[in-house]
Every structure is written in C-alpha cells, then in structure tokens.
Amino acid sequence: MENYMELIIPSYSKNESFARAVVGAFFSQLDPDLNDLNELKTAVSEAVTNAIIHGYPDSIGEIKIKAKIYDDVFEVNIIDQGVGIEDIEQAREPLYTSKPEMERSGLGFSVMEGFMDEVEIISKVGAGTQITLRKKINNLKAK
Ligand code: ADP
Ligand code: MG
C-alpha cells in the first residue's frame, strides 16, 4: 500500500462539504487536473450525502471515510452503520429515489458511476452500507 487516510465524522449535513474537501485534498497529491478533481469530489459528495440523508434518516450516526492509493488505483470507502439498502439493484437505477417527497433526484449513484471507474455497494438492512469508489490513476488526464 502506498498511502492511506481515515476520517470519522458524525452525520451532520455541515460535514458533507468537510468530507468532500478532505478526500479532495488527499487526492490532490496525484496532481490531477481540475476536472478530475471535481469529478472525484462530486462522487464522494453524493455518497456522503446519501449516508447522511438515507443512512441516518432520523438520527445522527457515524460515517467513516477511508481513502487509499495503491497500484494504479485511488479508492474511497464511505461507510455508515445506518438503515441499509433493501434492494441494491433498484437503488442503482437512474432516477430511483426512496425519498421523492424530499425532492431527491435519484441520480446520486448515476453521478458516482459516471465520474468513477468502479462503484461497489455492500449493504445490509439494519446494519449499514459501504460504498467503494475507484478511479484508475492511469486514466487521469496528464497535466
Ligand atoms: P437519491 O439520494 O436522490 O434518493 P441516489 O441515487 O443517491 O438517489 O440513491 C438512491 C437510493 O438508494 C436512495 O433513495 C436510498 O433509498 C438508497 N440509498 C443510497 N445510499 C444509501 C445509504 N447510505 N443508506 C441507505 N439507503 C441508501
Ligand atoms: Mg443521493
């Protein structure tokens, strides 16, 4: 393993931009261009927002964010111990949201998939959700 970091935060809405900035700062050691940096930060932001809003709908819980750089990969894990996802296939579908009344767009996972090379979802109802985002470092635009 080349480099790694871990961050644990309570699921306050105001911590979303903090988490996004921290992972972006860690990613910046790869010297990405602004476009790649913004894509990575936006994908992280969608996953962290989901943990805050969907993982812990009625309470404040812990969100763990891990990032690592190894081989040709930049990997981020966003982990909550919240309510979990009943139907992962359905959750991944563009425009699907379990909270239409909150004017959610249902495009969070589509954005993650569009901006990252791999998106993995592991989830168990009542136990929580782990999202893994991977970006191939070789695919980053050379500066
Ligand atoms: P949106 O957030 O706009 O609803 P997303 O594509 O981001 O759309 O997520 C789709 C659905 O997946 C959510 O509506 C929610 O039901 C479920 N989901 C996503 N992340 C989590 C999570 N961390 N915990 C529980 N459910 C989640
Ligand atoms: Mg979302």
Side-chain angles (χ1 to χ4, degrees), residues 33-141:
D33 76 356
L34 259 188
N35 185 59
D36 285 325
L37 175 60
N38 280 326
E39 288 186 358
L40 183 278
K41 285 163 80 173
T42 302
V44 169
S45 163
E46 289 294 336
V48 173
T49 300
N50 281 352
I52 292 170
I53 290 174
H54 301 299
Y56 300 111
D58 310 309
S59 60
I60 296 300
E62 227 163 58
I63 301 173
K64 185 188 273 192
I65 296 159
K66 301 200 271 187
K68 60 184 167 192
I69 297 167
Y70 63 96
D71 301 333
D72 178 37
V73 179
F74 184 84
E75 180 177 303
V76 189
N77 309 112
I78 298 94
I79 303 157
D80 69 65
Q81 292 168 290
V83 299
I85 302 174
E86 221 169 80
D87 185 340
I88 292 176
E89 202 108 308
Q90 181 185 50
R92 271 183 186 268
E93 274 170 27
L95 301 177
Y96 172 79
T97 179
S98 56
K99 288 198 164 39
E101 72 282 1
M102 280 181 71
E103 293 177 34
R104 308 294 309 158
S105 68
L107 288 171
F109 281 120
S110 304
V111 166
M112 289 181 241
E113 274 166 12
F115 286 165
M116 302 296 293
D117 292 311
E118 283 178 33
V119 178
E120 274 176 22
I121 306 172
I122 299 172
S123 191
K124 201 174 167 203
V125 172
T129 300
Q130 168 161 341
I131 304 299
T132 299
L133 307 172
R134 291 196 194 90
K135 221 168 173 46
K136 294 253 167 63
I137 294 168
N138 274 336
N139 290 352
L140 297 175
K141 272 192 206 81

